[in-house]
């Protein structure tokens, strides 16, 4: 009997703030995927969905794809037959070359996002597409592009947020439009509870983090900018503006201040639904500080999401709560200053013509123009489950003249429409690097198991495709370890990747980092550009304004579909245990709204929009705001 015990430290690369440390424990011929007890985030426990999935379908050869598949039935029927890698790659390469020769490589599109957030598997395929000259469905347009653009205009970047370690010096932490209980479960469990600060959550949804916060403000969806301006009215009235900071480090405050006159707390209550007394209380707390502001990705997924982000971005400079311990603003922490060189990994110099891109919002319109869209390669994404206007999209994916190639671990909704499905290895099956977009860490993704069947990492699939297409640039064939070694060297990690694999995760800096302590910002002026000439040049307002979306007309609702602790992307839908935990789909309504419609708890009702309708059971919940329908995914 083999009684040896081995621990392999690796890292969760899911689209989550936590980037948890994982300990794969082998003992007696068995293996268990657990939270690393020595990791300061996971502290020995994975979140529920990952604990289930990583010991479930991620290690189930019957659930994962293990052979390349070629379609043999109608598109969407899910009928395929196994083929060899050589045959699949050769046919795909031949068809791509034919399209490029006849119509140009711009007629070949690829769509990708955060099926994995590791450095190589998440970015190396761009080398192939840059060399090919293919067009891209802009990945962030499905998720957080508005926030990045808004903060880019204002701060010069949306990727240099506060260091969470500085929360020890904060007196107020505001979580605005984020749901850590589902999307950063360990930050919810530890970071927010261990800070000495008063925790304020601003969210229309009373999720677990909101329920456990010291204060929960519940504005009507789309009224966040108005709430900010009402808070700024109070901050000015209470003489909490930092006029010295505004004068020294910002441009355009003079375009904001006159707007504050009319934005009283009473006006704020009328427009947002938040009681005036609560607006005043939180404004004083934030203004007195030191205060930290966490802006969630969900906050900018609104018609005026960019304006909302720019409005929220006023709070740190208006109060001087930036560039000092216990202060700052966070959207995401990018990995560039941790040595992750995006241009090195993606090799944009291989492109010989300007890139062509569209938004995910425009994908259906593109696919309705066959001349401009002759091939689509989907990797790290399941567009048939995650994109808008799904009925229209799925119909378009049945186009016989569209070459659709899907790389994935599982037979996804999108894969059912593919001409070829190529099996991708999971993160447990190859080495890589992971960087959290919350904590300033660099982590090892270490191979713990052999790939299922003939599955290959994303990067190896595109190496083979590049070779079959006759490309010869050395960047297209660089091996993983060479890339890893360069990234780890850039990150200045002593002992290199071998040491990183032993410890799992390192903090890039030993001491907490104070962002923008020198008062310099990567904008054209070097200051926070409250009024932005760049925004104006793009047809956007020069400065944020106190907008609130109009309330829905009678009989209509503002639909919200928040995250749940048991799902992330669509990939967890492949695990029946995770789906069972999630429970049935439903729609939650305020009791008064339900009564006005003659609905009781448990009734089935039809909820319809301009493009689709669903018949779902109704749940009655008094914490849902009037006029909001809360979709509970199943």
């Amino acid at each position: 009997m083999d009684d040896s015990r081995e621990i392999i430290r690796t890292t969760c690369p899911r689209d989550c703030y936590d980037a948890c440390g994982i300990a794969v424990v082998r003992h007696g011929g068995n293996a268990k995927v657990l939270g690393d007890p020595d990791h300061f985030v996971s502290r020995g426990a994975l979140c529920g969905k990952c604990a289930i999935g990583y010991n479930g379908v991620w290690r189930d050869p019957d659930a994962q794809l293990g052979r390349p598949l070629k379609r043999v039935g109608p598109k969407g029927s899910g009928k395929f037959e196994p083929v060899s890698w050589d045959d699949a790659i050769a046919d795909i390469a031949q068809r791509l070359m034919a399209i490029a020769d006849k119509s140009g490589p711009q007629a070949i599109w690829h769509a990708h996002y955060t099926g994995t957030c590791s450095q190589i598997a998440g970015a190396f395929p761009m080398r192939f597409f840059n060399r090919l000259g293919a067009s891209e469905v802009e990945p962030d347009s499905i998720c957080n592009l508005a926030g990045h653009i808004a903060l880019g205009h204002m701060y010069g970047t949306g990727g240099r947020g506060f260091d969470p370690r500085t929360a020890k010096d904060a007196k107020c932490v505001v979580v605005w439009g984020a749901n850590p209980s589902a999307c950063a479960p360990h930050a919810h469990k530890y970071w927010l509870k261990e800070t000495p600060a008063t925790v304020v959550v601003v969210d229309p949804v009373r999720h677990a983090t909101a329920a456990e916060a010291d204060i929960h403000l519940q504005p009507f969806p789309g009224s966040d900018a108005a709430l900010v301006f009402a808070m700024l009215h109070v901050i000015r009235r209470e003489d909490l503006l930092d006029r010295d900071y505004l004068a020294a480090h910002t441009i355009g405050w003079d375009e904001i201040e006159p707007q504050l006159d009319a934005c009283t707390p009473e006006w704020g209550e009328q427009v947002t639904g938040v009681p005036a007394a609560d607006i005043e209380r939180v404004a004083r707390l934030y203004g007195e500080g030191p205060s930290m502001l966490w802006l969630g990705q969900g906050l900018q997924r609104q018609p005026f999401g960019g304006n909302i982000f720019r409005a929220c971005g006023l709070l740190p400079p208006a109060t001087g709560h930036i560039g000092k311990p216990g202060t700052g603003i966070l959207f995401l922490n990018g990995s560039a200053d941790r040595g992750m060189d995006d241009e090195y990994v993606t090799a944009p110099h291989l492109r010989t013509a300007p890139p062509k891109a569209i938004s995910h919002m425009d994908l259906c319109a593109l696919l309705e123009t066959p001349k401009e869209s002759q091939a689509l390669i989907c990797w790290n994404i399941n567009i048939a489950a995650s994109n808008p206007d799904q009925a229209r999209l799925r119909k378009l994916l049945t186009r016989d003249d569209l070459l659709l190639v899907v790389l994935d671990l599982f037979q996804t909704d999108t894969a059912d429409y593919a001409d070829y499905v190529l099996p991708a290895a999971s993160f447990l099956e190859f080495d890589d690097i992971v960087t959290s977009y919350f904590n300033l860490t660099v982590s090892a993704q270490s191979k713990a198991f052999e790939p299922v069947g003939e599955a290959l990492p994303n990067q190896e699939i595109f190496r083979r495709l590049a070779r079959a297409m006759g490309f010869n640039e050395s960047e297209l064939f660089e091996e993983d370890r060479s890339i890893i070694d360069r990234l780890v060297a850039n990150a200045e990690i002593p002992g290199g990747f071998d040491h990183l694999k032993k410890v799992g995760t390192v903090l890039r800096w030993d001491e907490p980092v104070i962002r923008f302590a020198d008062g310099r910002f990567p904008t054209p002026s070097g200051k926070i550009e409250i009024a932005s000439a760049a925004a104006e040049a793009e047809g956007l307002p020069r400065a944020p304004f106190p907008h609130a979306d109009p309330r829905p007309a009678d009989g209509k609702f503002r639909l919200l579909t928040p995250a749940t602790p048991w799902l992330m992307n669509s990939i967890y839908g492949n695990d029946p245990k995770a789906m069972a935990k999630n429970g049935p789909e439903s729609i939650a309504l305020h009791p008064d709204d339900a009564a006005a419609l003659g609905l009781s708890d448990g009734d089935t009702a039809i909820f319809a929009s301009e493009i689709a309708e669903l018949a779902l059971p109704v749940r009655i919940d008094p914490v849902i705001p009037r006029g909001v329908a809360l979709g509970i995914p199943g």
Side-chain angles (χ1 to χ4, degrees):
M1 179 180 291
D2 181 7
D3 290 328
S4 61
R5 188 172 186 270
E6 178 188 16
I7 297 177
I8 299 171
R9 286 188 166 83
T10 187
T11 308
C12 180
R14 301 271 76 76
D15 189 2
C16 169
Y17 294 89
D18 288 343
C20 285
I22 291 174
V24 178
V25 181
R26 297 181 179 277
H27 181 66
N30 297 314
K32 189 77 172 175
V33 181
L34 306 169
D36 183 352
D38 297 324
H39 194 275
F40 75 100
V41 173
S42 54
R43 305 190 192 185
L46 297 177
C47 68
K49 57 184 171 289
C50 289
I52 290 172
Y54 296 165
N55 291 290
V57 293
W58 265 264
R59 295 175 54 205
D60 182 353
D62 294 326
Q64 288 191 43
L65 295 169
R67 293 280 304 279
L69 301 175
K70 181 179 180 178
R71 179 173 61 87
V72 293
K75 282 193 171 181
S77 66
K79 294 181 180 180
F80 298 89
E81 65 179 11
V83 293
S84 69
W85 271 109
D86 288 345
D87 288 347
I89 292 293
D91 191 33
I92 294 168
Q94 183 180 23
R95 294 172 70 174
L96 291 177
M97 288 188 289
I99 293 169
D101 290 343
K102 182 179 179 180
S103 304
Q106 296 89 349
I108 300 169
W109 291 80
H110 69 109
H112 63 107
Y113 201 44
T114 52
T116 180
C117 291
S118 59
Q119 290 293 315
I120 303 176
F124 178 90
M126 291 299 299
R127 294 189 182 188
F128 170 80
F129 291 109
N130 282 328
R131 168 60 181 84
L132 176 60
S135 304
E136 181 181 35
V137 184
E138 164 58 51
D140 278 336
S141 63
I142 198 68
C143 182
N144 58 24
L145 189 59
H148 277 302
I149 291 175
L151 294 179
H153 285 148
M154 195 169 189
Y155 286 86
T157 177
R160 293 183 65 192
F162 59 67
D163 183 340
R165 291 177 291 178
T166 68
K168 62 184 177 62
D169 298 306
K171 291 186 178 178
C172 175
V173 172
V174 177
V175 181
W176 202 315
N179 179 1
S181 61
C183 303
H186 288 84
H188 162 82
K189 185 177 181 179
Y190 299 120
W191 184 74
L192 282 171
K193 290 181 172 61
E194 291 171 358
T195 175
T198 298
V199 175
V200 179
V201 170
V202 184
D203 204 301
V205 179
R206 192 166 176 79
H207 47 68
T209 301
E212 296 176 23
D214 297 298
I215 302 171
H216 176 206
L217 302 187
Q218 216 170 351
F220 193 84
S223 67
D224 304 86
L227 178 57
V228 171
F229 275 77
M231 289 174 60
L232 287 170
H233 178 102
V234 175
I235 287 168
R236 183 181 66 170
R237 187 189 72 193
E238 301 291 321
D239 198 26
L240 295 172
L241 287 178
D242 191 331
R243 295 193 178 276
D244 290 341
Y245 191 93
L246 287 167
H249 301 295
T250 72
I251 292 175
W253 176 254
D254 59 318
E255 298 184 32
I256 299 298
E257 191 153 4
Q259 300 183 69
L260 302 182
D261 296 344
C263 298
T264 65
E266 292 73 25
W267 168 87
E269 178 174 350
Q270 180 182 5
V271 172
T272 71
V274 176
D278 291 343
I279 294 173
E280 292 179 326
R281 180 186 178 193
V282 171
R284 291 190 194 98
L285 272 171
Y286 186 90
E288 291 167 356
S291 297
M292 303 173 77
L293 178 61
W294 177 356
L295 301 181
Q297 296 178 53
L299 179 61
Q300 47 87 76
R301 296 174 189 159
Q302 308 192 50
F304 283 77
N307 180 65
I308 289 170
F309 254 58
R310 292 173 73 189
C312 289
L314 294 170
L315 288 168
T319 55
H321 295 327
I322 190 166
K324 297 175 286 190
T327 69
I329 182 171
L330 182 140
F331 181 36
L332 299 171
N333 270 320
S335 57
D337 58 2
R338 281 171 273 173
M340 303 298 112
D341 185 342
D342 181 68
E343 290 201 353
Y344 160 63
V345 180
T346 61
H349 65 273
L350 294 176
R351 182 175 287 276
T352 58
K356 182 178 179 181
I358 63 161
S359 164
H360 276 280
M361 309 304 130
D362 300 320
L363 180 56
C364 286
L366 171 75
L367 295 178
E368 287 171 339
T369 311
K371 184 178 178 180
E372 297 182 10
S373 56
Q374 298 182 30
L376 177 61
I377 302 174
C378 294
W379 54 285
N380 287 355
I381 196 168
N382 180 9
I383 58 172
S386 62
N387 273 46
D389 210 348
Q390 286 184 17
R392 180 181 171 202
L393 175 62
R394 290 181 182 224
K395 182 178 179 180
L396 290 164
L397 292 179
T398 65
R399 276 178 43 197
D400 286 327
D401 61 343
L402 175 72
L403 171 62
L404 178 59
V405 179
V406 173
L407 285 66
D408 215 298
L409 278 69
F410 304 104
Q411 186 68 32
T412 64
D413 310 74
T414 309
D416 284 344
Y417 295 88
D419 295 288
Y420 281 98
V421 182
L422 304 180
S426 84
F427 80 98
L428 293 166
E429 298 163 355
F430 60 95
D431 288 348
D432 209 330
I433 298 288
V434 175
T435 53
S436 166
Y437 52 74
F438 189 63
N439 295 292
L440 301 178
T441 53
V442 179
S443 303
Q445 177 184 298
S446 301
K447 180 177 179 179
F449 303 100
E450 290 300 320
V452 170
E454 299 175 12
L456 297 172
N458 289 348
Q459 55 271 27
E460 179 56 26
I461 294 173
F462 286 104
R463 288 188 190 107
R464 294 189 180 193
L465 196 52
R467 189 173 294 109
M469 295 187 69
F471 298 158
N472 55 22
E473 289 80 2
S474 61
E475 295 94 328
L476 299 172
F477 308 104
E478 185 175 8
E479 294 297 324
D480 289 6
R481 184 57 189 250
S482 171
I483 301 170
I484 289 170
D485 286 344
R486 175 161 172 172
L487 294 177
V488 170
N490 289 349
E492 301 179 357
I493 296 174
F497 189 58
D498 291 337
H499 171 71
L500 190 60
K501 290 179 74 171
K502 290 179 181 177
V503 298
T505 290
V506 298
L507 283 157
R508 176 63 179 82
W509 296 275
D510 292 335
E511 297 298 321
V513 176
I514 308 299
R515 298 289 202 189
F516 308 119
D518 60 358
R520 297 286 299 174
F521 298 84
T523 57
S525 65
K527 299 182 178 183
I528 298 174
E529 298 190 355
I530 292 170
S532 168
E536 188 175 34
E538 293 176 10
L540 299 168
R542 276 177 51 82
F545 56 98
H547 171 82
D549 293 345
R551 299 292 177 97
D554 289 344
K556 293 190 177 182
F557 294 84
R558 183 72 174 255
L559 176 65
L560 299 181
T561 53
T564 84
W566 300 103
L567 291 175
M568 184 190 308
N569 315 119
S570 65
I571 198 166
Y572 292 88
N574 292 282
D575 197 300
K577 291 183 178 179
M579 291 301 291
K581 290 282 188 180
N582 206 51
E585 297 173 339
S586 62
I587 288 279
L589 297 174
H590 187 277
D592 293 344
D593 286 331
L597 295 170
L599 294 172
S600 301
D601 197 74
D603 286 350
T604 296
I606 294 175
F607 294 83
S609 70
E610 291 79 4
I611 60 173
E613 64 179 41
L614 290 170
L616 294 171
V618 173
R619 282 175 45 188
I620 310 301
D621 191 339
V623 302
I624 306 297
R626 290 288 315 265
V628 170
L630 192 69
I632 311 298

